[in-house]
Amino acid sequence: MSRIKVHDKYFVPYLSEKEILERIKVVAAQINADYSGTKPLFIAILNGSFMFAADLFKNICTDAEICFIKLASYKGTKTSGQVVTAIGLDMDIKDRHVIITEDIVDTGRTLSYFIPQLINQQPASLKVAVLLHKPDAKVFEVPVDYCCFTIPNKFVVGYGLDYDGLGRNLSSIYQLEI
Ligand code: XMP
Ligand code: MG
């Protein structure tokens, strides 16, 4: 793996595909243990979480369902400050054990917008599983129950995450070069 260019910016290798998949297996094992005998519903937030949600879900061995919603809050490498629901939830989550699956918690804006909407619908329980967490970027408090990697406050791309639409197809994660 070497330095890559996405649009006008350079990125350097940060987390390899192997490291990512190994860590996802560990987190999936925690979820399998915690949800044994229940039938959790994973709600994956598009676009960014599609690869993480797929790899996590493949490692879930209790009966489980998955559905997708689409929220957007990012423009380029800066958050736009506004969350938009582009595709809403089409499942009844009342009395369900729900696990939100998100690519990254950065400022926390996206999930602090979405979580109250889910709580209104009275799930039996609600937890958050994230691939990446940037605690230093926190503006809004969000409970992160399952986290694969805690990372510094630097922009990353790859493995589903994009810089202005590009980079999602990379199988590993790259960090913005300074
Ligand atoms: P918030 O600030 O709402 O951010 O917690 C969550 C959403 O913002 C996107 N995001 C990123 N996307 N590299 C990306 O490609 C990053 O470093 C990054 N930080 C935040 C992402 O879509 C996430 O769902
Ligand atoms: Mg996202």
Side-chain angles (χ1 to χ4, degrees):
M1 288 203 300
S2 53
R3 186 179 186 250
I4 56 160
K5 190 175 184 193
V6 181
H7 290 298
D8 55 330
K9 297 194 192 306
Y10 287 94
F11 291 83
V12 291
Y14 183 55
L15 296 168
S16 70
E17 182 177 16
K18 186 167 174 281
E19 281 175 277
I20 296 168
L21 294 177
E22 278 174 6
R23 183 66 193 135
I24 288 176
K25 284 186 181 164
V26 171
V27 170
Q30 290 168 5
I31 294 175
N32 285 329
D34 293 350
Y35 287 82
S36 141
T38 71
K39 196 174 68 179
L41 171 65
F42 288 76
I43 301 181
I45 303 183
L46 297 172
N47 292 327
S49 78
F50 74 98
M51 281 201 195
F52 171 53
D55 284 329
L56 181 71
F57 200 61
K58 278 189 270 184
N59 285 284
I60 297 301
C61 51
T62 181
D63 277 354
E65 292 181 77
I66 189 165
C67 67
F68 298 86
I69 62 144
K70 183 172 177 180
L71 304 176
S73 75
Y74 243 70
K75 290 262 174 290
T77 60
K78 295 263 156 23
T79 183
S80 73
Q82 227 198 352
V83 184
V84 181
T85 303
I87 301 173
L89 187 65
D90 63 353
M91 297 279 294
D92 181 7
I93 64 161
K94 188 166 183 339
D95 301 328
R96 296 295 307 267
H97 294 287
V98 172
I99 304 170
I100 298 173
T101 308
E102 174 64 312
D103 52 356
I104 183 165
V105 170
D106 182 292
T107 64
R109 180 178 277 109
T110 307
L111 288 185
S112 69
Y113 161 89
F114 185 52
I115 288 172
Q117 298 181 13
L118 294 186
I119 289 173
N120 266 342
Q121 298 178 49
Q122 302 176 313
S125 67
L126 180 62
K127 297 238 164 128
V128 174
V130 300
L131 176 68
L132 306 171
H133 186 202
K134 283 184 187 168
D136 297 342
K138 181 177 84 177
V139 177
F140 302 87
E141 196 68 50
V142 166
V144 175
D145 302 288
Y146 302 100
C147 173
C148 295
F149 300 97
T150 299
I151 65 167
N153 191 6
K154 287 189 190 154
F155 195 78
V156 290
V157 291
Y159 193 73
L161 292 121
D162 72 305
Y163 167 40
D164 255 353
L166 296 185
R168 293 195 198 277
N169 52 318
L170 298 163
S171 54
S172 59
I173 293 178
Y174 292 74
Q175 191 177 58
L176 186 62
E177 189 181 69
I178 312 139

